Amino acid sequence: MTKFLVHSLVLAAGVSIASSANATETPNVADLSNPEPLSQVTSVSQLSDVRPTDWAFQALQSLVERYGCIAGYPDRTYRGNRALTRFEFAAGLNACLDRVNELIAASTADLVKKEDLATLQKLQEQFAAELATIRGRVDALEARTTTLERQQFSTTTKLNAEVVLGITGAAAGRDFIRREFVPGVGSVEVADRVSRNTIVGNRVRLNFDTSFTGRDNLRTRLQAANLSGLPANLNGDQLTNEGSLRFAGGEGNQIGLDALNYTFPIGENTTVVLEANAGAIDDFTDTVNPFLDGDGGSGALSHFGTRNSIYYLGNGTAGTGLGLRHKFGEALELSLGYLSGEPNTPAAGNGLFNGSYGALAQLTFRPSERLGIGLTYINAYNVDFSGNGAVGSTRANFRSLAETGFLADNVPTIANAYGISASFQLAPQLVLNGSVGYTNARSLQSGARGTLDIWNWAVGLAVPDFLKKGSLAGVIVGMEPRVTGARGAFGSAVGRDRDTSLHVEGFYQFQLNDNIAITPGIIWLTAPNHDNRNDDIVIGTIRTTFTF
């Protein structure tokens, strides 16, 4: 009888060594991080996964009939093939002891034999330490919960931060020829020098993420930065967009509202993103560049290495608008977005729909976990070609831009861009990424209309967990946006970029711990500005990223 009662109490604690006499399956430990509520059963037949052929069926049936201390899960399963810890056993045993005490108190002690009570008392003494440990853990958790509730910032808002410190400079490169627009004169060549000074800067982001339903997210981001763009001349003016660091930008660490957006689902397959300030296409679009697209804080060091250059056309000037993602099953996703540059200005040629904008449509196809392909179309109006990453070196070096109207300031332009991005996991720790982009841009300047054809391409290799878990090695090789052809007001060819520059980038992101990563890297630009007359430029940097 004693042996029977011990086995029965083990079963009541929620364990069965095997679901049948022939079971060979290795039991799994139950997940205690989110236990499911149990419900009392009055008959063993109510447990759907317990069969009369199970070796422990009679023991379970006896426990139900004699003691009534068997509990099942809400879906009417017993899950008897799971292993249990000593703590779980103690908890289940304690539940049965409580039930026995209830029977005794109800004057039904005749259902429990004297020998059974002696066995129960012995077991209670043997597991007294475990029961005391459980009580201590529960008391400690209750105390910590009370403290957190009293000191928490908000019931729905979480604060996370990223601090990027960068030490960088041009390690090689000196002579540089660039072009600039002089009013009344036109396009002129200027001989310049590359600054070799080492500089230090930072970018700090504070993200406040608020959820109201558990499935939505309101992000409010404060940002301050002070790292100048490279490569630069001795006056500190940036010479070209090629090689620009992704985490650079900002002046004087002025704190501002960098991002304000609200993401929420509609049904199971559709997600909507409302962009109020500084919206970007990667908020609602898969850039298909895993590991390398870390938005400056991780992954690639440069704008060019982070994602296909045409994506920068879609950000508008301030980035206010709407984004949408819809899944057609597991393999196909559609992204749509519209971002406006001056939505808050009532003046003519501004507003939500009458001013500058960027509109995007993308189909992302993932036939397997290893392969991803993105087909992208972007239409943009009033793009600032003097500093847009999607145009690369256009303003600085193209000889005939005065004839096409792209060199003057505040020139209305319209661009249509087409791109394809792909990623393929060659091995568990080897991912190959690639992209190609084409942009057709037209100047709408009265008396100086023209058209540019601009191409870019890149191939990247990412090696996650290289040398240490959480670390990342990466290499990117490609051609930053290059003017391959230009036509004047009447369609006549007026030139193109002189040569072809290559962007070669390598980095190793060493994950020191969960919160600190150190990333040394090099960016090598051959024939900067697509002009062989310029010395090759090598930019070295050490990026340190703190997250908390």
Side-chain angles (χ1 to χ4, degrees), residues 5 26 30 34 79 109 135 139 224 279 296 403 432 439 507 509 518:
L5 182 58
T26 302
N34 188 23
R79 306 179 191 179
R135 283 193 293 269
D139 291 342
E403 299 178 40
L432 179 66
T439 302
F507 67 89
Q509 180 178 307
I518 301 175

Side-chain angles (χ1 to χ4, degrees), residues 247-512:
F247 58 89
E251 294 183 1
N253 276 327
Q254 296 293 321
I255 299 176
L257 181 64
D258 178 63
L260 178 61
N261 58 61
Y262 180 55
T263 304
F264 61 95
I266 298 179
E268 296 297 325
N269 299 319
T270 305
T271 301
V272 177
V273 181
L274 300 178
E275 304 276 10
N277 182 69
I281 59 94
D282 60 304
D283 292 336
F284 51 84
T285 306
D286 185 351
T287 60
V288 198
N289 198 22
F291 297 104
L292 298 181
D293 189 346
D295 203 23
S298 61
L301 297 166
S302 66
H303 279 286
F304 179 72
T306 298
R307 59 186 69 125
N308 192 326
S309 296
I310 70 168
Y311 284 124
Y312 298 113
L313 284 171
N315 293 347
T317 302
T320 298
L322 175 71
L324 181 145
R325 300 179 73 164
H326 180 77
K327 291 184 177 181
F328 299 93
E330 296 295 328
L332 189 63
E333 179 181 86
L334 173 65
S335 297
L336 299 172
Y338 177 89
L339 297 175
S340 173
E342 299 290 340
N344 60 326
T345 303
N350 291 279
L352 185 60
F353 300 109
N354 294 323
S356 61
Y357 70 83
L360 172 140
Q362 176 173 305
L363 277 176
T364 306
F365 181 52
R366 292 191 176 275
S368 68
E369 293 183 357
R370 300 175 59 189
L371 177 63
I373 301 173
L375 302 176
T376 309
Y377 168 71
I378 294 174
N379 175 263
Y381 170 71
N382 202 24
V383 176
D384 178 12
F385 276 76
S386 64
N388 194 290
V391 185
S393 63
T394 301
R395 177 169 183 169
N397 78 311
F398 187 56
R399 294 174 297 170
S400 303
L401 288 183
E403 299 178 40
T404 57
F406 282 90
L407 276 177
D409 292 327
N410 301 318
V411 174
T413 59
I414 190 166
N416 290 285
Y418 311 84
I420 179 171
S421 302
S423 174
F424 182 67
Q425 186 177 3
L426 301 172
Q429 293 182 323
L430 193 63
V431 180
L432 179 66
N433 302 322
S435 65
V436 177
Y438 166 71
T439 302
N440 177 264
R442 290 188 294 118
S443 165
L444 304 181
Q445 178 78 357
S446 177
R449 296 178 182 271
T451 304
L452 301 180
D453 294 321
I454 306 168
W455 284 89
N456 68 274
W457 61 268
V459 176
L461 189 66
V463 187
D465 297 330
F466 184 69
L467 299 182
K468 182 183 179 182
K469 187 173 179 61
S471 297
L472 173 70
V475 177
I476 301 109
V477 179
M479 180 184 74
E480 297 211 25
R482 174 178 181 265
V483 176
T484 60
R487 294 173 295 278
F490 300 100
S492 58
V494 293
R496 61 179 182 178
D497 279 342
R498 293 173 57 94
D499 304 292
T500 299
S501 171
L502 289 180
H503 174 117
V504 182
E505 178 178 341
F507 67 89
Y508 178 58
Q509 180 178 307
F510 178 69
Q511 197 68 37
L512 192 62

Side-chain angles (χ1 to χ4, degrees), residues 206-224:
L206 295 179
N207 295 320
F208 298 87
D209 292 324
T210 304
S211 180
F212 304 99
T213 67
R215 300 179 62 197
D216 62 340
N217 185 66
L218 173 65
R219 164 157 288 191
T220 305
R221 172 185 290 164
L222 301 180
Q223 176 172 295

Side-chain angles (χ1 to χ4, degrees), residues 167-171 173 194-200 230 232-236 540:
I167 302 176
T168 186
V194 177
S195 173
R196 301 278 286 273
N197 289 331
T198 300
I199 62 175
V200 179
L230 291 179
N233 61 18
L234 296 177
N235 294 324

